[in-house]
Amino acid sequence: MSDYELKTYYAIALDPIHVGAGGARLERVDLPIIREPGTNLPKIPGTSLSGPARAYTAMHPKINRYRWIDDEGKESSCAGRGGEGGENHCGKVNPACPVCVPYGFSKGSGHSMQGLAQFFDAQILLFPVASLAGTVWITSPMVLEGLGLNSEFQAPDDGFYPLGEHLKNKEKLNFGWLMLPKGEGEGDLTNFPVPEKIKQRTVLVSDKLFPKIVNSNLEVRTSVSIDPATGTAEEGALFTYEAIPRGTILRFDVIYNSGKYFRVGEQELKTEDGGDVGTQWVKAQVEKGLKLFEILGIGGMGTRGMGRLKVLNLEKGDC
């Protein structure tokens, strides 16, 4: 049994997703989403994945640790931060709590541990854009690098290269407001684990064009606060916010660590049947939470039609 396992997850946005940059800014929208500083591409931070995953694992009917009474009659809540100092987390390691052990807990000196699941930022892989040929998905060589697709990707500097058969006969194609000619390129998405219809409508653009097209085609919504006294729009309360659009394909990594080297209060980490806490056990608990992303969502504006994210490559039987 390996001491750790790296798994790459692929997900599709079922709704627009808004993970705010924190506060209003002087930009084209009042509430922008968070971006990668080096590329200016929108992303979903690992914290915005691990937090909901923890809560949803705790809510899972097979676990039921969102708010529960332990054998000693003490009320605990293993979701969230667990109170001001983590005192509401149960922190049980033998048998291991399926929430506290994968995601970590802190109950003061000598009784805390980091989570055995390490979450990393979700990056955009394929981005949907409206065109005269219908919806197309764009990507770039840098975005696809390191996915193990056994293919070299090359894109024309100022054009597009169709990766799917559906767009092979298009000599020109618009991506929102930007019209580009077809150019010479290289690439193959055969081994890419996303729906076939999306792969057939995917095109490759250069690394310099990809951020420009993405940031020009984000969803932007306008909202207004309502004055409860009049039931009409409140003066000066109009605001705009942006979101990653529905249909975007993202990837994120999670590293699952074995618990066999960990000790908490001189106790070893053991499962309910007395076995070691291995990577497969940790992954099974986390994927119970990831499954609920497609129902309960992540990020902000969840009551305004945003947030649902479907993870495409969960292991069957664990969720």
Side-chain angles (χ1 to χ4, degrees):
M1 181 177 64
S2 175
D3 293 339
Y4 67 91
E5 177 187 345
L6 168 64
K7 182 169 181 178
T8 298
Y9 290 96
Y10 300 92
I12 183 170
L14 302 180
D15 299 316
I17 296 176
H18 174 89
V19 179
R25 301 188 180 186
L26 291 176
E27 298 186 14
R28 72 186 186 109
V29 294
D30 298 313
L31 301 175
I33 54 178
I34 194 165
R35 287 172 165 80
E36 189 71 45
T39 62
N40 202 37
L41 284 169
K43 67 175 182 178
I44 301 175
T47 51
S48 296
L49 299 171
S50 63
R54 179 183 190 126
Y56 300 159
T57 295
M59 293 169 62
H60 195 280
K62 292 183 179 179
I63 294 178
N64 194 25
R65 294 289 178 101
Y66 197 87
R67 183 172 285 109
W68 61 291
I69 306 296
D70 63 17
D71 296 336
E72 300 173 356
K74 179 183 177 182
E75 181 175 317
S76 298
S77 177
C78 298
R81 59 186 296 194
E84 289 297 323
E87 66 276 0
N88 292 335
H89 289 158
C90 74
K92 295 183 181 297
V93 297
N94 189 5
C97 171
V99 180
C100 290
V101 169
Y103 297 99
F105 63 91
S106 177
K107 293 178 68 68
S109 178
H111 199 76
S112 62
M113 67 170 288
Q114 71 173 39
L116 296 181
Q118 299 170 249
F119 287 77
F120 297 87
D121 296 350
Q123 311 286 348
I124 293 175
L125 288 181
L126 307 181
F127 186 84
V129 182
S131 76
L132 294 175
T135 305
V136 297
W137 279 261
I138 64 166
T139 188
S140 77
M142 181 178 66
V143 167
L144 296 174
E145 186 177 351
L147 293 183
L149 297 179
N150 299 320
S151 176
E152 293 290 332
F153 291 93
Q154 295 181 4
D157 287 339
D158 295 301
F160 73 94
Y161 174 73
L163 294 173
E165 295 296 327
H166 192 86
L167 301 170
K168 289 288 188 183
N169 62 342
K170 301 294 183 182
E171 296 300 323
K172 290 185 178 181
L173 197 59
N174 72 301
F175 302 90
W177 58 270
L178 181 64
M179 181 71 75
L180 294 176
K182 184 169 75 172
E184 294 296 323
E186 183 181 352
D188 182 10
L189 292 179
T190 301
N191 298 322
F192 196 32
V194 299
E196 189 64 27
K197 289 183 178 179
I198 293 179
K199 289 194 287 187
Q200 292 302 321
R201 301 186 65 86
T202 297
V203 302
L204 195 66
V205 298
S206 66
D207 294 328
K208 71 175 182 179
L209 284 179
F210 185 68
K212 293 181 174 64
I213 298 175
V214 168
N215 285 301
S216 296
N217 290 276
L218 294 171
E219 179 161 341
V220 177
R221 292 191 185 183
T222 301
S223 291
V224 65
S225 296
I226 301 298
D227 187 337
T230 64
T232 59
E234 190 173 333
E235 186 71 24
L238 191 73
F239 63 96
T240 57
Y241 49 97
E242 60 186 2
I244 297 172
R246 178 183 289 108
T248 302
I249 302 292
L250 304 104
R251 64 161 284 189
F252 62 94
D253 293 335
V254 181
I255 294 179
Y256 298 108
N257 295 280
S258 168
K260 68 180 182 180
Y261 298 116
F262 287 77
R263 301 289 186 276
V264 178
E266 303 301 323
Q267 292 188 78
E268 295 183 354
L269 276 60
K270 296 292 183 180
T271 61
E272 287 189 353
D273 58 5
D276 290 334
V277 172
T279 58
Q280 292 301 310
W281 182 88
V282 178
K283 180 168 62 175
Q285 314 316 316
V286 170
E287 291 198 350
K288 288 180 174 67
L290 297 181
K291 174 64 176 176
L292 292 180
F293 280 8
E294 64 184 273
I295 301 173
L296 301 175
I298 63 172
M301 309 294 179
T303 60
R304 303 182 184 185
M306 293 192 177
R308 291 181 301 166
L309 181 73
K310 182 176 182 178
V311 182
L312 299 173
N313 58 326
L314 296 174
E315 295 188 10
K316 296 181 179 179
D318 288 336
C319 306

